[in-house]
Amino acid sequence: MNKIGVIFDLDGVIVDTAKYHFLAWKELANHLGFEFTEAHNEQLKGVSRVRSLEILLDIGKVELSDEKKQEFLVSKNEHYLQYIHEMGPEEILPGASNLLDTLDDLGIQYVLGSASKNAPLILKQVNLFDRFVGIVDGNSVSKAKPDPEVFLIGAEKLKLKPEQCVVFEDAIAGIDAANAAHMISIGVGDKQTLSKADFNVEDLTEITSGFIKSLITKIETVK
Ligand code: G6P
Ligand code: MG
């Protein structure tokens, strides 16, 4: 019987696809006649595709018909997928593969909890798809992070209570979602940005087997 389970965000935790989103959104912004910077791109992390376009259009103060928006959502994704199709296992972020090995060794199962509709494809590109016992992605949720829905479905797939789940996230909206789900939240990235996380690490290389075992003890004690 598993005592805990893990839910991973994808973009910024397992792989860095933000740079490809940036290139694709930047091209669209330039096409519409305005600049789109890396700082602007920060606002799109963890945010759904549709919401990302709305934020981008706000930045450029551009108004579009629903039809045009739909057209640009499709063309942006097609452009983004050109980069994704070039991805391979070498793009897995530091520490991610080792952490999955550690969890396997400890008999702890893990699922994906991502806003991306391309999540299954990305996991296949980097040869990690088969390792997850479940995938919750942008196709399976009706409410985006910071709503906890994505992680609550993840807990169901792990057959665990939310309190038994640990979430790895790089976006503020994701940490808020994990906290709202009453899960243990681990912020991956800038500690100040992710100050609401229960624990913070720069990257997954910092997560040791000892740390995971301490989480098991913590969750057991709370029960
Ligand atoms: C992740 C990324 C976001 C992206 C979203 C949707 O949450 O952090 O930047 O907008 O997924 O991705 P998609 O692949 O469905 O366009
Ligand atoms: Mg992310």
Side-chain angles (χ1 to χ4, degrees):
M1 175 66 188
N2 280 319
K3 294 183 179 70
I4 73 166
V6 174
I7 307 178
F8 285 97
D9 173 48
L10 178 64
D11 297 325
V13 174
I14 306 272
V15 287
D16 176 21
T17 44
K19 58 188 178 198
Y20 302 134
H21 281 296
F22 172 62
L23 292 172
W25 285 127
K26 185 176 163 56
E27 193 202 57
L28 174 60
N30 294 350
H31 173 78
L32 292 171
F34 62 94
E35 273 309 312
F36 183 75
T37 65
E38 300 240 17
H40 289 140
N41 197 51
E42 284 299 308
Q43 297 176 41
L44 310 188
K45 286 191 178 173
V47 172
S48 74
R49 194 181 309 167
V50 172
R51 182 77 193 114
S52 294
L53 177 64
E54 285 168 4
I55 295 171
L56 179 128
L57 295 176
D58 276 353
I59 291 167
K61 300 191 175 45
V62 172
E63 283 190 30
L64 294 177
S65 66
D66 286 349
E67 203 183 355
K68 268 283 167 206
K69 282 184 195 168
Q70 203 49 45
E71 191 185 301
F72 286 135
L73 283 171
V74 171
S75 61
K76 180 269 169 181
N77 195 53
E78 281 170 357
H79 182 192
Y80 172 69
L81 286 179
Q82 288 176 8
Y83 297 110
I84 299 306
H85 283 125
E86 297 296 316
M87 284 181 86
E90 70 284 352
E91 294 206 39
I92 296 172
L93 285 172
S97 289
N98 277 346
L99 177 54
L100 299 189
D101 291 345
T102 300
L103 296 174
D104 289 346
D105 291 344
L106 294 170
I108 295 171
Q109 293 191 316
Y110 40 89
V111 297
L112 195 82
S114 166
S116 172
K117 294 187 174 182
N118 296 305
L121 170 69
I122 295 167
L123 282 182
K124 282 177 192 155
Q125 288 291 132
V126 299
N127 286 343
L128 290 178
F129 183 80
D130 294 332
R131 299 189 61 174
F132 288 77
V133 296
I135 307 280
V136 191
D137 63 15
N139 301 296
S140 25
V141 292
S142 57
K143 287 169 265 172
K145 300 168 188 175
D147 190 281
E149 183 186 20
V150 58
F151 295 140
L152 293 174
I153 300 175
E156 280 171 27
K157 288 198 187 278
L158 288 163
K159 300 189 177 63
L160 292 172
K161 289 187 234 159
E163 292 80 7
Q164 293 172 285
C165 297
V166 178
V167 173
F168 286 92
E169 253 295 347
D170 74 315
I172 299 169
I175 295 295
D176 287 341
N179 292 342
H182 303 291
M183 298 176 177
I184 292 180
S185 56
I186 304 185
V188 182
D190 184 59
K191 194 180 162 99
Q192 271 170 357
T193 310
L194 305 173
S195 60
K196 283 187 271 176
D198 294 317
F199 298 91
N200 291 86
V201 290
E202 278 295 323
D203 64 39
L204 295 181
T205 60
E206 292 177 36
I207 306 290
T208 61
S209 175
F211 174 72
I212 300 290
K213 285 179 191 158
S214 74
L215 291 181
I216 299 175
T217 312
K218 184 178 159 77
I219 285 171
E220 278 291 279
T221 322
V222 176
K223 252 200 311 192

